[in-house]
Amino acid sequence: MIDAIEIASSALRANQTWLDTISHNVANMQTVGFKKANVQFVNLIRESAAGNSQEGEPAVRAGAGIRIGGTYTQFSDGAVRTTNQPLDVAIVGNGFLEIVLPGGETGLTRVGALRVDADGRLMCRSGWSLQQDIRISPDVEAIEISAEGKIRGKVANSTEVLELGEIELARVAQPEYLQDVGEGVFKLTEQSGDITLHKPGEHGTATLLQGHLEMSNVDLVEEMSNLVIAQRAYQLNARVLQTSDQLLETINNLRR
Amino acid sequence: MSEAIMKLTDVLQRDLHTIQSVANNAANTVTNGYRAERNFSAIDGVQPGLISAAQTIAISNHEGAKAITQRPLDFVIVGDGWFSVKTGEGIRYTRDGHFMVSNLGILTTQSGHPVLSDDGEIALGDETFAMNMNGTLETKSGVSHQLRIASVAIKDLATDGLYAGDEIGINANAKVMQGALERSNVDVAQEMIRMMETTRHFESVQRAISAYDQMLNIGINELGK
């Protein structure tokens, strides 16, 4: 039938995926450690043999709609919220906490909401255990986590300051290629590169901010303007689809 | 007898091509770096009165709007010029500056084609880099790459959103901005008007065919009754 119908439907599908992505971002505007996703579109083409009737000339390339070129996660920093919890850390800059997922796989997260489990081991509040083994015994209070990740504390009724450990941050070469598996966890992929461990503050690695949490990096203004663009693009392509339908009807009525 | 109908059918075909062109532009209102296309038909020089079967496509040279994304690997050329990209079929061009670093450390487009500098592929590894307004990328270790920005007469579309054309020369004065992308240059109002015009034209040609069909009917079946 008319190619315009296929072209318009490819655009409708692509814009719908974009709308889904925008919706996901907006829904997660208050999620701790959430990183927004963006989509990129790519023009499709096909060879059209009917274009040029002269012999020896290459076939004319005609457009064939669009497809989603890729959905990538944008790792800009989110706003930092004060919680005053001694075991909450916000990661400011490039870096992740390396965690162990059930099943033994390594994961990465930006959610620095930590707690101490029954054995005194430092772990994430959401249940993931940290790859690093840092122990804080229950009688330690006044825990201090410096920007370089050094954890210090004082035993109750004593003035001695104990060095409890040092948090190391994980970095990958291409964080945009990390796979977002939800719940604030990112998994490594072939293109993201492997984890390298750094001390916070070294070689451009992030620093830690105790008593704070990093909120989502979703920008409401950007999402709203994307929403307007996606909706209008969708409408325009729906209109093209309607017009193609009209044309087909006219063709059918060529001979009554 | 059928000559008039054949001519009119040709016109219908051309209108369908126009609608296809409109559909392409409408679909690509959200594709970064896209340039709107318009199709043209020419009068056939050999047989007067006939419209040539060849359709030419012209690609608009209007600059699209710039959108700030703050992503360090998003580039946009302000003014004339195209990024040069290496593909299996030779050098192709694009205005879509949404680049990535492949796992071999090379700067590529989002479809994986290497972006060219004056010296060939750009190997960045995982180093941070800075870029000045002339398109010179300087990595932390001091290696500098000059993005190859060419002035091109665009002739054709190529795969993965790239464009093919005849290179006029290297644009030494091109201005490149980091952290922004060029949006599609499709003029939505124009496309709607083209669509409306073509639809009505299509309907009037259909009327003409219908009228001619009726005339033939009278000529064949009514005359001489």
Side-chain angles (χ1 to χ4, degrees), chain B residues 74-93:
Chain B
D74 279 349
F75 302 139
V76 66
I77 300 175
V78 181
D80 185 32
W82 295 72
F83 293 113
S84 311
V85 168
K86 185 165 93 169
T87 67
E89 297 144 7
I91 299 186
R92 295 284 178 262
Y93 307 95

Side-chain angles (χ1 to χ4, degrees), chain B residues 22-208:
Chain B
V22 168
N24 278 327
N25 288 341
N28 282 290
T29 48
V30 293
T31 311
N32 294 323
Y34 180 79
R35 291 287 165 96
E37 59 171 63
R38 294 210 55 161
N39 62 333
F40 296 92
S41 17
I43 307 281
D44 194 323
V46 176
Q47 285 191 45
L50 198 66
I51 300 189
S52 138
Q55 286 260 297
T56 40
I57 304 223
I59 304 209
S60 154
N61 255 329
H62 255 77
E63 254 186 85
K66 311 286 181 272
I68 310 279
T69 60
Q70 292 179 337
R71 183 171 169 267
L73 283 170
D74 279 349
F75 302 139
V76 66
I77 300 175
V78 181
D80 185 32
W82 295 72
F83 293 113
S84 311
V85 168
K86 185 165 93 169
T87 67
E89 297 144 7
I91 299 186
R92 295 284 178 262
Y93 307 95
T94 183
R95 291 280 295 193
D96 179 9
H98 178 77
F99 297 143
M100 332 211 80
V101 180
S102 73
N103 45 357
L104 300 169
I106 301 179
L107 190 70
T108 64
T109 63
Q110 58 176 321
S111 330
H113 300 288
V115 178
L116 293 173
S117 72
D118 281 342
D119 312 305
E121 292 185 1
I122 302 178
L124 285 178
D126 53 357
E127 292 185 70
T128 47
F129 63 92
M131 193 184 72
N132 67 8
M133 284 290 276
N134 287 331
T136 319
L137 290 160
E138 203 173 308
T139 62
K140 218 153 171 218
S141 52
V143 184
S144 75
H145 306 269
Q146 170 63 44
L147 281 173
R148 185 178 191 278
I149 304 196
S151 294
V152 187
I154 298 292
K155 289 255 147 46
D156 208 1
L157 299 162
T159 52
D160 293 330
L162 304 171
Y163 289 89
D166 299 325
E167 203 174 294
I168 303 173
I170 303 283
N171 196 342
N173 298 327
K175 286 201 195 6
V176 186
M177 244 172 75
Q178 196 183 10
L181 285 176
E182 184 180 353
R183 293 267 193 234
S184 158
N185 77 343
V186 171
D187 183 349
V188 171
Q190 273 271 36
E191 301 305 323
M192 281 299 294
I193 292 173
R194 256 171 98 199
M195 198 156 59
M196 280 162 28
E197 276 179 348
T198 315
T199 315
R200 293 305 168 196
H201 181 245
F202 199 86
E203 282 173 22
S204 51
V205 173
Q206 182 254 327
R207 293 279 157 85

Side-chain angles (χ1 to χ4, degrees), chain A residues 61-74:
Chain A
R61 288 218 159 107
I66 59 172
R67 64 176 170 88
I68 302 268
T71 312
Y72 69 96
T73 314
Q74 201 164 345

Side-chain angles (χ1 to χ4, degrees), chain A residues 136-215:
Chain A
I136 303 179
S137 63
D139 57 349
V140 174
E141 19 176 77
I143 300 173
E144 227 181 67
I145 306 179
S146 77
E148 286 83 36
K150 291 196 171 52
I151 310 178
R152 294 199 182 92
K154 273 206 304 226
V155 179
N157 301 326
S158 144
T159 46
E160 193 194 333
V161 172
L162 296 169
E163 301 273 342
L164 297 159
E166 238 181 280
I167 298 181
E168 280 184 334
L169 291 179
R171 285 177 71 176
V172 289
Q174 315 293 344
E176 273 181 0
Y177 286 112
L178 286 171
Q179 186 192 11
D180 188 344
V181 294
E183 302 195 23
V185 177
F186 295 94
K187 275 199 196 162
L188 298 170
T189 61
E190 206 187 287
Q191 291 124 316
S192 66
D194 283 321
I195 293 180
T196 51
L197 290 169
H198 298 268
K199 293 200 192 331
E202 244 177 44
H203 299 138
T205 311
T207 52
L208 299 176
L209 203 54
Q210 187 190 15
H212 297 76
L213 281 179
E214 185 194 15
M215 300 306 287

